[in-house]
Amino acid sequence: MFKTLRKFMKFSGAKNEKMFKLSMLISFFYAMAMALRIPAIMCIIMGLLRGEEITKYILGSIGIMALSLVVSMICRMLSTMLQTKAGYLCAAEKRIDIAQHLRYLPMGYFNANSLGTIASVATNTMENLGDVATRVVLIVSGGIIETTAIVIMIAIFDYRIALVSLVGIGLFFIANSFMQKAGTKISEEKIAADENLVSIVVEYLQGISEVKSYNLYGKASKKLEAANVGVGNVNTAMEVKYVPYQVLQSAILKLTGVAIVATSVLFWIQGSMPLLNAIGMTICAFMLYTSLEAMGAFSALLRVVDMCVGKAQDILDLDTMDIDGNEIVPESHDIEVKNIEFAYENRKIIDGVSLKIPEKTVTAIVGASGGGKTTLCNLIARFWDVDNGEITLGGRDVKEYSMNSLMSNFSFVFQNVYLFSDTVENNIKFGRPEASREEVVAAAKKACCHDFIMELPEGYNTVIGEGGASLSGGEKQRLSIARAIMKDAPVIILDEATANVDPENERELMAAIAELTNNKTIIMIAHRLKTVRNADQIIVMSEGRIAEQGTHAELMKLDGIYRTFVNSRKKAIGWKLSS
């Protein structure tokens, strides 16, 4: 229990840990204020037993109770506010830390781990830490502190009763430790079930078009329903698992109260305890363990807290790429790939590739699917690190650059464009948040998207749906190009940027790309002949190697992959249905 509390507070960060500790200190004063109920009760009893000046004793008791009430209210308010603030700040800050950490992980991590798992850690796990963990820490720590304060107050009147209380508390914590151990497996199952549910929900939403197209409602919804039922079952199983231990804890506390009453009566009969103290201790027996019993019930969730901290920490402990490079501004933007190799899960994707891309030239990469085209571009931009070999930008190994200084040299336009659920303006100036509205409009005009933006309900202030769901494919692509124009990086990587564009949008899109790529170093992955034939060099990738390299004219002289590619495209263009 205490190990989990320390683990959570350490995980929460230095500033939040200080707030938690300050909250616990204030909780101690709250507990001492609550413990003043004992002398207040004793004061009343004293007046009743003596039968004289009872008004004085009543007024004294009221004074003590008033002090207890005021101090406890102030302390409870301050303690709760501090713990709540620390808990929610911890969740918010760790979400940001995880997001920042994910930014510097190799892209292979995202291939190996489903989006649902990552989303679950960022949502369910952090929600548990911000809400459940804070409540658990508040009640568990408060229960321990309040019980400690009451035992101290009892010890002032009679140390023997305090020892009886400590024996009961010891037995309680032994039962609680067994409950914590028993909950390890079921807590793991709960976290796994939560992750599975989020993963399936994300998968269902991402594939909703396929679900509709292939009428997969029954199959897909059954899978979702099963995951939902699974979460319900594991939560029920967790409650069932903990109930016997909670009953045992409650029984121990109740029996300890009985023992305190019996011991107090025995001591009075023997004459070793005044009647006043015996009555007072009997009353204390019924108020001693109230907070401890509540703590026992909530401490069952400590295993979940421990698992949540572990899940989040596992991501934060993942080895990132070496990002602590130098802030380098390259003298040129020549790119050189030197005999690089790269494998993913023991499958070699890039095998001994060497390539020179001079500054302000156009390099087109073509080849069959799975040939390594996209992987090569990802390695150049250092989304992954090569296993062997070297990639340089301006004569410096890309690993020498800090990640931010390296990324400032690249802009990307992908086949599948992602736009954020934000205004059109903010999506365009994503790479330059400080840009003015005039600069945004200028970039949009160059990308041929100003006109359709002005037709939106609120123009540049229109909030588009997540992923750009409210826009057409061509519109999203042009906004992506406007974003790249705004960044104005010297190296542009185009990954099938025009593959899924309809003919109506193609002319404007090509004009936008021409504006984007003017006087830049261009690396493009493309299948369209007219896109690649004017490139300064064409790279033909096959099975992770460069099979052919040269200009369009040079490659057409060879009886190779590129020539076959061109001829097949020509046949496809001339193909038509016969009547």
Side-chain angles (χ1 to χ4, degrees), residues 9 53 174 198-199 254 275 288 310 324 364 420 503 514 534 559 566 576:
M9 286 193 289
E53 297 183 344
I174 290 172
V198 174
S199 181
K254 295 295 191 297
L275 179 60
L288 174 61
D324 298 323
F420 294 89
N534 295 322
D559 187 15
V566 171
K576 63 180 180 179

Side-chain angles (χ1 to χ4, degrees), residues 337 353-358 363-364 366 536-541 545-556 558 561-562:
V337 178
V353 170
S354 295
L355 170 66
K356 290 184 178 181
I357 303 175
T363 297
V366 300
D536 295 296
Q537 65 173 332
I538 299 169
I539 307 299
V540 182
M541 295 291 296
R545 295 174 177 270
I546 295 179
E548 298 172 9
Q549 182 175 355
T551 64
H552 172 76
E554 290 169 344
L555 295 179
M556 286 301 292
L558 303 176
I561 298 173
Y562 182 77

Side-chain angles (χ1 to χ4, degrees), residues 57-74:
Y57 288 107
I58 291 174
L59 291 175
S61 176
I62 291 173
I64 295 172
M65 289 297 292
L67 177 64
S68 171
L69 181 64
V70 172
V71 174
S72 63
M73 285 178 62
I74 294 172

Side-chain angles (χ1 to χ4, degrees), residues 313-331:
Q313 194 62 53
D314 285 346
I315 292 180
L316 293 172
D317 288 341
L318 288 170
D319 291 332
T320 60
M321 296 188 296
D322 182 12
I323 58 175
D324 298 323
N326 301 311
E327 295 296 318
I328 300 172
V329 178
E331 295 180 2

Side-chain angles (χ1 to χ4, degrees), residues 71-313:
V71 174
S72 63
M73 285 178 62
I74 294 172
C75 289
R76 173 59 82 184
M77 179 186 69
L78 292 175
S79 176
T80 302
M81 287 178 64
L82 279 170
Q83 289 211 19
T84 303
K85 182 179 179 180
Y88 284 113
L89 278 177
C90 169
E93 290 168 1
K94 290 304 174 181
R95 280 193 182 101
I96 294 172
D97 289 346
I98 288 172
Q100 291 286 359
H101 197 75
L102 290 173
R103 180 184 174 193
Y104 298 116
L105 291 178
M107 292 297 291
Y109 171 79
F110 302 97
N111 291 337
N113 298 270
S114 73
L115 181 60
T117 300
I118 299 171
S120 180
V121 173
T123 54
N124 284 349
T125 301
M126 290 300 105
E127 184 66 23
N128 283 335
L129 289 179
D131 187 10
V132 177
T134 301
R135 195 178 309 152
V136 170
V137 170
L138 179 66
I139 293 174
V140 171
S141 62
I144 294 172
I145 293 170
E146 187 172 340
T147 301
T148 302
I150 293 175
V151 171
I152 291 172
M153 190 65 70
I154 290 174
I156 293 173
F157 289 94
D158 196 296
Y159 75 93
R160 296 169 299 178
I161 301 301
L163 290 175
V164 175
S165 302
L166 289 174
V167 170
I169 292 171
L171 292 173
F172 169 86
F173 278 109
I174 290 172
N176 187 268
S177 67
F178 281 112
M179 181 176 72
Q180 297 295 323
K181 291 177 181 178
T184 301
K185 184 178 179 181
I186 194 68
S187 297
E188 292 175 353
E189 292 175 2
K190 172 181 170 52
I191 298 297
D194 288 342
E195 286 184 358
N196 181 54
L197 177 60
V198 174
S199 181
I200 290 174
V201 169
V202 171
E203 179 186 44
Y204 185 83
L205 294 175
Q206 286 183 325
I208 193 67
S209 58
E210 281 73 18
V211 170
K212 290 183 176 180
S213 298
Y214 294 97
N215 198 26
L216 298 175
Y217 297 105
K219 182 179 179 181
S221 61
K222 284 180 181 177
K223 187 178 179 181
L224 183 61
E225 183 181 355
N228 198 33
V229 170
V231 170
N233 289 341
V234 76
N235 284 332
T236 302
M238 176 177 282
E239 293 296 327
V240 171
K241 189 80 172 179
Y242 285 139
V243 164
Y245 294 97
Q246 291 174 344
V247 170
L248 176 61
Q249 289 177 159
S250 180
I252 289 172
L253 295 178
K254 295 295 191 297
L255 290 174
T256 302
V258 172
I260 290 174
V261 173
T263 306
S264 298
V265 171
L266 179 63
F267 288 156
W268 174 69
I269 292 173
Q270 292 176 344
S272 60
M273 178 182 288
L275 179 60
L276 172 65
N277 288 11
I279 296 173
M281 294 303 99
T282 299
I283 295 172
C284 287
F286 294 97
M287 60 183 291
L288 174 61
Y289 297 115
T290 303
S291 58
L292 198 61
E293 192 167 9
M295 186 220 81
F298 274 85
S299 67
L301 294 172
L302 280 174
R303 289 305 307 170
V304 175
V305 173
D306 187 63
M307 293 291 298
C308 288
V309 171
K311 280 285 184 182
Q313 194 62 53

Side-chain angles (χ1 to χ4, degrees), residues 205-511:
L205 294 175
Q206 286 183 325
I208 193 67
S209 58
E210 281 73 18
V211 170
K212 290 183 176 180
S213 298
Y214 294 97
N215 198 26
L216 298 175
Y217 297 105
K219 182 179 179 181
S221 61
K222 284 180 181 177
K223 187 178 179 181
L224 183 61
E225 183 181 355
N228 198 33
V229 170
V231 170
N233 289 341
V234 76
N235 284 332
T236 302
M238 176 177 282
E239 293 296 327
V240 171
K241 189 80 172 179
Y242 285 139
V243 164
Y245 294 97
Q246 291 174 344
V247 170
L248 176 61
Q249 289 177 159
S250 180
I252 289 172
L253 295 178
K254 295 295 191 297
L255 290 174
T256 302
V258 172
I260 290 174
V261 173
T263 306
S264 298
V265 171
L266 179 63
F267 288 156
W268 174 69
I269 292 173
Q270 292 176 344
S272 60
M273 178 182 288
L275 179 60
L276 172 65
N277 288 11
I279 296 173
M281 294 303 99
T282 299
I283 295 172
C284 287
F286 294 97
M287 60 183 291
L288 174 61
Y289 297 115
T290 303
S291 58
L292 198 61
E293 192 167 9
M295 186 220 81
F298 274 85
S299 67
L301 294 172
L302 280 174
R303 289 305 307 170
V304 175
V305 173
D306 187 63
M307 293 291 298
C308 288
V309 171
K311 280 285 184 182
Q313 194 62 53
D314 285 346
I315 292 180
L316 293 172
D317 288 341
L318 288 170
D319 291 332
T320 60
M321 296 188 296
D322 182 12
I323 58 175
D324 298 323
N326 301 311
E327 295 296 318
I328 300 172
V329 178
E331 295 180 2
S332 73
H333 294 93
D334 296 330
I335 297 170
E336 186 170 359
V337 178
K338 302 177 182 178
N339 196 31
I340 64 169
E341 295 180 357
F342 176 76
Y344 177 67
E345 293 185 345
N346 300 319
R347 184 170 66 92
K348 186 162 282 191
I349 310 296
I350 300 293
D351 186 9
V353 170
S354 295
L355 170 66
K356 290 184 178 181
I357 303 175
E359 184 179 35
K360 297 181 181 178
T361 62
V362 177
T363 297
I365 305 175
V366 300
S369 296
K373 304 184 298 298
T374 299
T375 301
L376 176 59
C377 290
N378 287 335
L379 292 171
I380 290 173
R382 209 189 168 200
F383 287 170
W384 288 295
D385 275 333
V386 296
D387 297 330
N388 292 299
E390 182 184 52
I391 297 174
T392 64
L393 172 66
R396 304 283 292 272
D397 192 320
V398 292
K399 294 180 181 179
E400 295 180 26
Y401 291 75
S402 70
M403 187 59 70
N404 289 335
S405 67
L406 180 65
M407 285 299 102
S408 67
N409 293 284
F410 290 92
S411 283
F412 306 87
V413 179
F414 299 107
Q415 176 181 353
N416 297 316
V417 177
Y418 189 87
L419 299 175
F420 294 89
S421 182
D422 204 337
T423 64
V424 172
E425 178 176 354
N426 286 340
N427 268 281
I428 291 175
K429 65 180 186 181
F430 186 71
R432 279 183 56 208
E434 74 283 359
S436 65
R437 168 61 70 87
E438 291 72 22
E439 291 174 305
V440 171
V441 172
K445 287 181 177 178
K446 290 179 180 179
C448 302
C449 53
H450 176 73
D451 290 342
F452 83 74
I453 291 173
M454 295 308 296
E455 293 176 359
L456 296 174
E458 296 180 50
Y460 285 86
N461 293 323
T462 302
V463 176
I464 55 180
E466 183 179 353
S470 57
L471 302 175
S472 71
E475 289 169 341
K476 288 192 289 184
Q477 200 69 269
R478 279 180 277 162
L479 282 179
S480 175
I481 292 171
R483 178 190 291 170
I485 289 173
M486 176 64 70
K487 186 177 181 183
D488 195 28
V491 181
I492 311 294
I493 295 179
L494 305 170
D495 187 352
E496 298 283 9
T498 62
N500 297 327
V501 178
D502 53 82
E504 291 77 9
N505 283 313
E506 185 175 4
R507 183 174 58 83
E508 289 186 328
L509 185 60
M510 294 306 295

